[in-house]
Amino acid sequence: MKKSHPIRRTLLATAATVSGIVLLLSLKPASDAGSVQAGAAGGAPSAQGGVAAGAQTLTGTAVQTEYGPVQVRITVNGGKITNAETVQQPSGGRSTQISGDAIPKLNQAAVAAGSAQIDAVSGATYTSAGYKESLQAALDQAGKAQGSGGGAQVLTGTTVQTEYGPVQVRITVSGGKITNAEAVQAPSGGRSTQITSDSVPKLNQAAVAAGSAQIDAVSGATYTSAGYKESLQAALDQAGKAQGSGTEAGAGGGQAEAGGGAQEGAGGGAEDSGAGQATGTQVLTGSTIQTDYGPVQVRVTVSGGKITNAEALQQPSGGRSTQISSTAIPQLNQNAVSAGSADIDAVSGATYTSGGYKQSLQSALDQAG
């Protein structure tokens, strides 16, 4: 047998190496195409699970609707909503089908709009309204100035139910001043539309001029004005404004007049205790929680990372409810201060009120981060 010549062996090895490289290069485009296709198919899960560094995941308050609670969780990155999903949604019977159809559309709309200004899904009015409210609560936590200059805060107050419809106020605060005020919700339909169109611009202007919720009611729009002031105060509370005065307490009490005089007295006392908070404290108002016996809304004062005061702005009243609230609310207030959190025991005989109190308390604490 003849031995292979060294030069020949070298040439053969070089040829084999070149062939291998050519083969690998010819396969690379196919591999890239597969990667792109896989990314397109899995885009949604990637956006949901693979949140980039610096993103925020924010959960809105649980909003009670006619058909069950709605609670939204969003991911915000680079000032944009990159993902939206529901933590809670109406279910059971027909509600499961409606939610299954509406929620994906609402999620998509939230990401596309980048705000809570999205259209309701046809056939899911209550779910859509609850979704938008919870979404806005989540956005408020981020302190994102949607459509405003750098450094400003856009804060949305709670939705206040009046005799003629809901009122909800959104303000822009910059440099410690209210630079813009608008009504996100206002009574409409029939005569209410005309009253709203006349009164809300005046209320918006008054809020900016006063820099607080200490504004006069518009003549002929008493209920709308009271609801506006209450929601405006709730928005200011989020900015750490301790606007605690007897005048605003009157507005809060008047708003609850449908529930009876006892509620007005409770509202007045609560506001007095909120006045004159020390510098550096935060006064935070939770969302209004609808219970089987009436609304519950909690306001807390947080100082040095501790709850120093807790009060109920709204509580069930009328008939037996007035007696139950007068017993339960002081206990719940005391428990909140002692525990320093919403992890408190329900008061015996006041299960629904206790549940609403804890939920509103938690939403207030969430604002403090």
Side-chain angles (χ1 to χ4, degrees):
M1 267 177 85
K2 291 183 179 180
K3 290 185 178 180
S4 299
H5 196 280
I7 295 176
R8 185 179 181 183
R9 286 202 304 270
T10 302
L11 289 173
L12 288 173
T14 302
T17 302
V18 171
S19 299
I21 292 171
V22 171
L23 179 60
L24 286 173
L25 289 174
S26 67
L27 291 174
K28 191 174 188 305
S31 177
D32 286 346
S35 298
V36 171
Q37 188 170 354
S46 175
Q48 185 174 355
V51 178
Q56 283 181 295
T57 300
L58 306 159
T59 304
T61 52
V63 178
Q64 297 297 326
T65 75
E66 293 268 340
Y67 298 98
V70 179
Q71 188 173 28
V72 180
R73 177 178 295 150
I74 58 173
T75 301
V76 177
N77 196 3
K80 297 180 179 180
I81 300 174
T82 57
N83 187 62
E85 59 187 327
T86 55
V87 181
Q88 298 184 67
Q89 62 193 52
S91 61
R94 175 72 173 152
S95 293
T96 299
Q97 183 180 344
I98 292 174
S99 291
D101 174 65
I103 295 299
K105 295 178 181 177
L106 292 166
N107 290 338
Q108 186 177 3
V111 173
S115 72
Q117 302 307 308
I118 57 178
D119 293 331
V121 174
S122 178
T125 306
Y126 289 99
T127 297
S128 298
Y131 185 101
K132 291 167 68 176
E133 187 174 341
S134 184
L135 172 58
Q136 185 59 58
L139 287 168
D140 288 341
Q141 293 174 38
K144 294 293 180 184
Q146 303 292 340
S148 69
Q153 280 183 295
V154 177
L155 306 160
T156 304
T158 52
T159 301
V160 179
Q161 297 297 329
T162 75
E163 293 270 338
Y164 298 97
V167 178
Q168 188 176 27
V169 179
R170 176 176 297 151
I171 57 173
T172 302
V173 177
S174 183
K177 296 180 180 180
I178 300 175
T179 57
N180 186 62
E182 59 185 327
V184 181
Q185 296 186 67
S188 62
R191 174 71 174 153
S192 293
T193 300
Q194 183 179 342
I195 293 173
T196 293
S197 64
D198 174 65
S199 62
V200 167
K202 295 177 180 177
L203 292 166
N204 291 338
Q205 185 177 1
V208 173
S212 73
Q214 306 309 310
I215 58 178
D216 293 331
V218 174
S219 178
T222 306
Y223 288 99
T224 297
S225 298
Y228 185 102
K229 292 168 68 177
E230 187 175 339
S231 184
L232 171 58
Q233 183 61 55
L236 285 168
D237 287 340
Q238 295 174 36
K241 300 286 186 181
Q243 304 289 343
S245 70
T247 304
E248 187 57 21
Q255 183 56 41
E257 63 186 328
Q263 180 63 29
E264 182 172 354
E271 277 300 323
D272 289 341
S273 64
Q277 302 299 336
T279 304
T281 61
Q282 281 184 293
V283 180
L284 306 162
T285 304
S287 54
T288 302
I289 307 300
Q290 298 296 328
T291 75
D292 282 3
Y293 297 96
V296 179
Q297 187 178 29
V298 180
R299 175 177 292 162
V300 293
T301 302
V302 178
S303 183
K306 296 180 180 180
I307 300 175
T308 57
N309 187 61
E311 56 195 325
L313 300 185
Q314 296 187 65
Q315 60 197 47
S317 62
R320 175 72 173 153
S321 292
T322 299
Q323 182 180 346
I324 292 174
S325 290
S326 64
T327 301
I329 294 298
Q331 293 181 36
L332 291 166
N333 290 339
Q334 185 176 0
N335 291 345
V337 174
S338 299
S341 71
D343 189 15
I344 57 178
D345 293 330
V347 174
S348 178
T351 306
Y352 288 98
T353 297
S354 298
Y357 185 101
K358 291 168 67 176
Q359 192 172 338
S360 184
L361 172 58
Q362 184 61 59
S363 70
L365 291 172
D366 286 342
Q367 297 171 35

